[in-house]
Amino acid sequence: RNFHAADPPYMLGPEMAETLAGGALVICSDAPFKEEDWDALMVLRSSRKKDDDVQTGRNGIGANSMFHLTDVPSICSQGRLLTLDPQLQYVPSYYASEASPGVMIDFGVCKAEEAAQLQALYADQLAPFRGLFGCDPCNPDWGQALFRLPLRAPISCKAHVV
């Protein structure tokens, strides 16, 4: 979908339109996220797997490598959508801060009516995930994880500091 200034954006904030309108690398994992996976993503530049020789990501660079391609990755799994913005340029400040550089929408903890309202409110934010690899961003029973890495625009590359 192409976004225009006159369109009412159904996303986290109008700044997000740039990240939704351009190209993106999409990666699908065949396993859903576990609670510790979500927790690890919220603490950038760390590795909780460093003492486990068989774990992918044990070197602490797995998730951080996303920032070579994007400024604002999103991850969808089990009825949750997490958008990270460590530079605090896209996710509105009423959602993100230096202490918590992103926002998670958890449809699994909402009542059906609340979940439907959130789906309508953030329809454009959810649209890039819907149907990819069978993804339903609002379904807590969807058993995979989908990463969406909007490709960085040339102007953004000059300002990149992560």
Side-chain angles (χ1 to χ4, degrees), residues 64-93:
N64 291 325
S65 67
M66 294 185 293
F67 296 104
H68 286 282
L69 301 172
T70 189
D71 292 324
V72 59
S74 293
I75 300 97
C76 182
S77 184
Q78 295 187 310
R80 294 179 184 178
L81 176 64
L82 172 66
T83 301
L84 295 171
D85 183 12
Q87 296 186 71
L88 304 175
Q89 293 185 356
Y90 298 98
V91 175
S93 60

Side-chain angles (χ1 to χ4, degrees), residues 28-88:
C28 185
S29 169
D30 62 354
F33 262 35
K34 300 176 192 159
E35 202 60 43
E36 58 262 23
D37 297 326
W38 291 113
D39 293 343
L41 280 174
M42 297 305 286
V43 184
L44 298 175
R45 298 179 191 91
S46 70
S47 177
R48 296 179 182 191
K49 301 175 183 177
K50 64 184 173 195
D51 297 325
D52 189 340
D53 290 338
V54 298
Q55 277 288 335
T56 300
R58 67 183 171 275
N59 296 318
I61 58 172
N64 291 325
S65 67
M66 294 185 293
F67 296 104
H68 286 282
L69 301 172
T70 189
D71 292 324
V72 59
S74 293
I75 300 97
C76 182
S77 184
Q78 295 187 310
R80 294 179 184 178
L81 176 64
L82 172 66
T83 301
L84 295 171
D85 183 12
Q87 296 186 71
L88 304 175

Side-chain angles (χ1 to χ4, degrees), residues 101-114:
V103 61
M104 181 184 289
I105 303 170
D106 189 344
F107 294 96
V109 298
C110 298
K111 296 177 182 172
E113 185 177 311
E114 292 170 331

